[in-house]
Amino acid sequence: MAKSIVVLGDSISAGYGIEVKQGWVALLQEKLAQANSHYVIINASISGDTTAGGLARIDKLLDTHKPDVVLVELGANDGLRGLLPRLVKDNLAEITRRAQKAGAKVLLLSMRIPPNYGKRYTEMFYDVYPQLLKELGVPYMPFILEDVALVKELMQPDGLHPNAKAQPMIADKVWVNLQPLLK
């Protein structure tokens, strides 16, 4: 019987500005197939989504798909709106708790925001993810766009979204962080 992985994310996971089949989520599904894995990915990502939006949708996703694993790639839009990092953390913690209560393993795919938001805010924002590891024991993947975000050739003209060339790099990184949860 197939097991499922739900990706709860924003435009980075929804494949904004590229064809969905070029996105890291589709490429991750290919990696699962190549590994003869019985996991199927449900991409429940919505461009522009926030942690509050993810929290509002998580219960229905858990009930509908009964996932074994939930990948949470949310927070960037909260940060870009200047939401208090404490609220981002609270929302991510509640998403995590609900998923875990439903029997799913959770992996947080962490985000960073541009440095023009100020050193203090950007550090407080990014610290949310290691805090959740410490407090809830939920693993997180360091910045999902590491080695991508600052490389012009890998980003779309808006400077915020990775292009098709960047997607295999992202999929490879997620794959490495996901594999321990599939055992």
Side-chain angles (χ1 to χ4, degrees), residues 77-174:
N77 292 309
D78 299 83
L80 294 174
R81 293 175 184 161
L83 191 70
L84 291 173
R86 176 182 49 80
L87 297 176
V88 174
K89 180 182 170 192
D90 290 348
N91 289 339
L92 290 172
E94 189 58 27
I95 289 168
T96 298
R97 284 188 199 99
R98 290 181 188 185
Q100 289 173 330
K101 186 176 179 189
K105 296 175 184 175
V106 177
L107 175 63
L108 297 175
L109 309 178
S110 69
M111 295 299 301
R112 288 191 181 271
I113 54 173
N116 60 309
Y117 282 77
K119 184 175 172 37
R120 182 173 179 268
Y121 182 78
T122 56
E123 286 178 2
M124 286 173 56
F125 177 85
Y126 188 68
D127 283 347
V128 161
Y129 300 96
Q131 287 171 12
L132 289 169
L133 167 67
K134 188 175 176 184
E135 293 171 21
L136 299 177
V138 62
Y140 77 98
M141 180 181 126
F143 185 34
I144 190 171
L145 299 181
E146 193 76 46
D147 304 323
V148 170
L150 298 178
V151 181
K152 189 175 180 178
E153 298 77 32
L154 298 176
M155 297 298 287
Q156 294 180 39
D158 66 8
L160 295 173
H161 297 94
N163 63 26
K165 285 188 267 183
Q167 301 300 316
M169 293 173 64
I170 298 167
D172 287 346
K173 265 212 260 194
V174 175

Side-chain angles (χ1 to χ4, degrees), residues 22-95:
Q22 295 176 308
W24 73 263
V25 177
L27 298 175
L28 186 63
Q29 183 66 71
E30 289 176 15
K31 286 183 176 297
L32 287 163
Q34 290 166 359
N36 292 319
S37 170
H38 298 289
Y39 283 89
V40 174
I41 298 179
I42 296 96
N43 192 352
S45 301
I46 299 174
S47 290
D49 206 2
T50 62
T51 57
L55 181 55
R57 296 186 305 119
I58 190 65
D59 291 336
K60 184 171 184 184
L61 291 169
L62 294 169
D63 289 343
T64 302
H65 302 291
K66 311 249 184 291
D68 298 276
V69 178
V70 177
L71 303 180
V72 182
E73 182 272 309
L74 291 169
N77 292 309
D78 299 83
L80 294 174
R81 293 175 184 161
L83 191 70
L84 291 173
R86 176 182 49 80
L87 297 176
V88 174
K89 180 182 170 192
D90 290 348
N91 289 339
L92 290 172
E94 189 58 27
I95 289 168

